[in-house]
Amino acid sequence: MMKKIFAQLEEIENLKQFSHKNAPEISEASIGWHLEHSLLVISKILEGLPASHPEKYQPKFSWAKFMVMTSGYIPRKKGKAPKFTIPTSENFLENIDNYLNSVRENLQMIKNLPSQSYIEHPYFGHLDVKQTLKFLKIHTQHHLKIAKDILAKSHS
């Protein structure tokens, strides 16, 4: 899973040059917004995992969690991003570079966490380390796909 996330970070780095591109028929947000949002989510989750109390981990079943984690697909325009994961400036290139550096460093520390370290997802409840990494891969892929669709549309 980690290799895939690191590969996605490379994709983000390659796409950041198109941060200014928009295609309102695909998304109200620019490519830069989607890339920075993805990195914000990864960054905030990586901050939350070590702060958890593994002994309090309580998984629960939800259909939304089951569908997303099984299919690897997040439907577009169905979720609402928490405020702290929404980019607050248009300075995407600098922000993306800063997040890429810190996310790459922070991903390394996950290897040393107890497996039942967790995050509290707003729709899915507690996600342990393995589920968290899977969610990060799925979520990042969701936004990379949108960014690539915007890029394709802006070149047509």
Side-chain angles (χ1 to χ4, degrees), residues 126-141:
H126 289 183
L127 298 178
D128 66 18
V129 173
K130 187 175 179 181
Q131 293 170 328
T132 296
L133 289 172
K134 185 172 184 175
F135 170 74
L136 287 176
K137 179 187 78 87
I138 293 167
H139 180 265
T140 304
Q141 195 58 47

Side-chain angles (χ1 to χ4, degrees), residues 7-145:
Q8 290 174 324
L9 296 177
E10 290 297 319
E11 282 188 76
I12 289 172
E13 193 151 29
N14 293 333
L15 285 168
K16 73 180 180 186
Q17 65 184 311
F18 304 108
S19 289
H20 62 285
K21 299 275 186 184
N22 278 311
E25 61 275 24
I26 293 171
S27 173
E28 295 173 20
S30 68
I31 288 175
W33 186 96
H34 285 280
L35 300 179
E36 186 175 344
H37 166 72
S38 295
L39 291 168
L40 269 166
V41 167
I42 296 169
S43 182
K44 295 299 182 187
I45 284 175
L46 293 179
E47 289 172 17
L49 274 172
S52 70
H53 299 279
E55 70 280 1
K56 295 182 179 177
Y57 172 66
Q58 292 185 326
K60 72 173 186 179
F61 179 82
S62 87
W63 279 108
K65 176 180 170 181
F66 176 77
M67 294 304 292
V68 168
M69 298 299 254
T70 303
S71 70
Y73 174 76
I74 298 173
R76 289 190 183 174
K77 300 182 182 183
K78 293 292 180 195
K80 183 160 171 48
K83 265 191 168 38
F84 62 88
T85 66
I86 297 175
T88 56
S89 79
E90 295 286 317
N91 196 3
F92 296 120
L93 285 176
E94 184 179 328
N95 294 345
I96 289 168
D97 280 338
N98 291 336
Y99 282 118
L100 278 168
N101 291 332
S102 68
V103 162
R104 284 184 176 124
E105 287 175 20
N106 290 337
L107 271 169
Q108 298 301 333
M109 62 123 195
I110 287 182
K111 297 174 187 172
N112 301 321
L113 293 176
S115 63
Q116 289 193 323
S117 297
Y118 65 91
I119 58 138
E120 176 107 28
H121 187 279
Y123 299 113
F124 305 159
H126 289 183
L127 298 178
D128 66 18
V129 173
K130 187 175 179 181
Q131 293 170 328
T132 296
L133 289 172
K134 185 172 184 175
F135 170 74
L136 287 176
K137 179 187 78 87
I138 293 167
H139 180 265
T140 304
Q141 195 58 47
H142 169 75
H143 286 282
L144 282 170
K145 173 93 171 83

